[in-house]
Amino acid sequence: MNSSIRFLELTGMNWLIPLVNLMAGRNPKAQITELFKVIGVPIAAFAIFLLLWSVAAKSIVTSLGNLPGPTQTWAQFESLVEEHRASREKEAAFYQRQKYRNEKRIAKGKEPKKIRAYTGAPTFFDQIFTSLYTVFFGFFIATAIAIPIGIICGLNTTIYTGLNPLIQIFRPVSPLAWLPIVTMVVSAVYTTDDPLVPKSFITSALTVTLCSLWPTLINTTVGVSSIDRDFINVCRVLQLNWINKIFKVVLPASLPMIFTGLRLSLGVGWMVLIAAEMLAQNPGLGKFVWDEFQNGSSNSLGRILVAVFVIGCIGFLLDRIMLTLQKSVSHDKTQDIR
């Protein structure tokens, strides 16, 4: 039972702990009260939100009709699921036809033709997958840049003094400003006729990188510079080389601040990506929202609201993933990480 509780704490699902304790018969009255606080109150708050949304939607009239309420938005989600299923069936049939034709050619002693790739329009769920691997790619690049520079700045005040003005200048720059610059640079540099990855992917990922590296860089710098000087003195006494000093002392001592920066960076990167996809018309959830807005059909508002909820839920899950990772590598297992 203790292992189950530990697993829930590690994965950030603390709200299930009272249920586990209740099933084990540990102080049922107290566990029911706690269960109501952690589950009942959020459910009640969400139900009130849905009620207010439903009432407000009836009084908001747009050029496309009334603002969709919860029921109409859910119907559009089901429609998107059905469209995705139909697209997958169409894709499977497309490849099956080519396979059948090649089998007939082989039976006649002819060479089979090359299998052509399916070129159907991406579905809503395809766009979700595109946005996810784009944001993770940009986030990993940002992390690979920000953490080493942050460690150097935290250990060397001279370097920090030199880089700090640049950090403070570029940190608040909007993705709206970075996007055209990145687009032009990628178009000028990435000129191959047969690109391994699309230019749109590189453009979106680099925009995410440029906007999301700053929280990690700043928090890493603060975390490293705040390390107890006794730890650094111990490194000198033990005559640890630079690599051992970084990996055995500096990184473990500054992990909480580094992960705070990583969580902020991933959240910023996700927001930036959606904006970049909308503006540059790159594949992803942002392009889906913009296309529906431009489409102007009676279903567009409902589909946009579906995308809004999906974007928010994915952002929440990304933060939970980082929180779980932080708990798994944290040296202080008793620390309350939220």
Side-chain angles (χ1 to χ4, degrees):
M1 189 64 66
N2 290 332
S3 60
S4 300
I5 293 176
R6 178 59 192 148
F7 173 76
L8 294 176
E9 291 176 342
L10 184 63
T11 54
M13 294 189 293
N14 302 59
W15 54 276
L16 282 176
I17 293 178
L19 181 60
V20 174
N21 288 330
L22 181 64
M23 294 173 62
R26 299 172 181 170
N27 197 350
K29 185 177 179 180
Q31 298 306 328
I32 291 174
T33 302
E34 186 65 23
L35 200 61
F36 175 75
K37 289 181 181 179
V38 299
I39 298 180
V41 172
I43 290 176
F46 191 70
I48 293 172
F49 165 74
L50 292 178
L51 178 62
L52 294 174
W53 175 18
S54 180
V55 172
K58 295 177 181 178
S59 60
I60 300 176
V61 182
T62 70
S63 58
L64 301 177
N66 285 83
L67 182 72
T71 304
Q72 294 84 355
T73 302
W74 179 258
Q76 290 305 316
F77 175 75
E78 292 179 331
S79 175
L80 290 169
V81 171
E82 184 57 37
E83 287 179 8
H84 177 76
R85 185 181 296 112
S87 177
R88 292 289 83 87
E89 292 175 355
K90 187 177 180 180
E91 180 181 4
F94 174 79
Y95 286 115
Q96 184 61 38
R97 285 195 300 270
Q98 293 188 77
K99 181 180 178 182
Y100 176 70
R101 290 168 186 167
N102 279 337
E103 288 175 351
K104 290 179 65 176
R105 291 180 64 86
I106 293 172
K108 294 178 180 179
K110 299 180 180 179
E111 287 291 327
K113 290 186 177 180
K114 182 180 179 181
I115 299 295
R116 293 182 291 118
Y118 181 70
T119 56
T123 67
F124 176 66
F125 294 95
D126 294 331
Q127 306 277 42
I128 292 175
F129 178 74
T130 299
S131 290
L132 281 174
Y133 74 70
T134 302
V135 76
F136 275 117
F137 186 83
F139 171 72
F140 286 139
I141 295 177
T143 301
I145 296 172
I147 291 181
I149 295 178
I151 291 173
I152 294 171
C153 288
L155 293 175
N156 192 307
T157 56
T158 302
I159 294 177
Y160 172 73
T161 302
L163 291 181
N164 187 52
L166 295 175
I167 294 172
Q168 300 307 324
I169 288 171
F170 290 119
R171 179 175 60 86
V173 175
S174 167
L176 305 181
W178 282 121
L179 185 59
I181 296 174
V182 172
T183 301
M184 289 187 289
V185 170
V186 170
S187 297
V189 175
Y190 197 54
T191 56
T192 176
D193 295 329
D194 186 21
L196 183 62
V197 292
K199 288 184 180 180
S200 59
F201 169 78
I202 297 177
T203 300
S204 297
L206 288 182
T207 304
V208 169
T209 298
L210 288 171
C211 294
S212 67
L213 64 87
W214 311 111
T216 299
L217 197 160
I218 293 171
N219 278 272
T220 301
T221 300
V222 173
V224 172
S225 62
S226 303
I227 294 175
D228 192 330
R229 302 311 299 177
D230 290 341
F231 292 160
I232 304 300
N233 293 333
V234 169
C235 292
R236 293 172 180 169
V237 171
L238 297 177
Q239 297 182 346
L240 295 179
N241 57 37
W242 192 81
I243 297 296
N244 285 331
K245 176 182 176 181
I246 295 297
F247 285 96
K248 293 186 177 181
V249 177
V250 174
L251 280 177
S254 56
L255 269 182
M257 287 297 294
I258 291 176
F259 268 97
T260 298
L262 289 173
R263 289 175 66 186
L264 291 172
S265 289
L266 188 55
V268 169
W270 182 240
M271 290 189 294
V272 165
L273 176 66
I274 303 303
E277 290 172 344
M278 289 183 67
L279 291 171
Q281 286 294 280
N282 293 336
L285 276 172
K287 186 176 186 301
F288 173 85
V289 172
W290 183 255
D291 287 345
E292 288 298 332
F293 174 72
Q294 294 291 95
N295 183 25
S297 70
S298 58
N299 297 327
S300 293
L301 278 178
R303 291 175 174 234
I304 291 174
L305 284 172
V306 171
V308 167
F309 276 98
V310 169
I311 290 168
C313 290
I314 290 175
F316 172 76
L317 290 175
L318 292 178
D319 184 72
R320 294 295 95 182
I321 290 172
M322 291 303 302
L323 179 63
T324 302
L325 183 60
Q326 180 178 359
K327 288 184 176 181
S328 66
V329 301
S330 175
H331 294 273
D332 185 3
K333 301 301 182 183
T334 63
Q335 183 183 13
D336 185 18
I337 302 173
R338 300 185 180 182

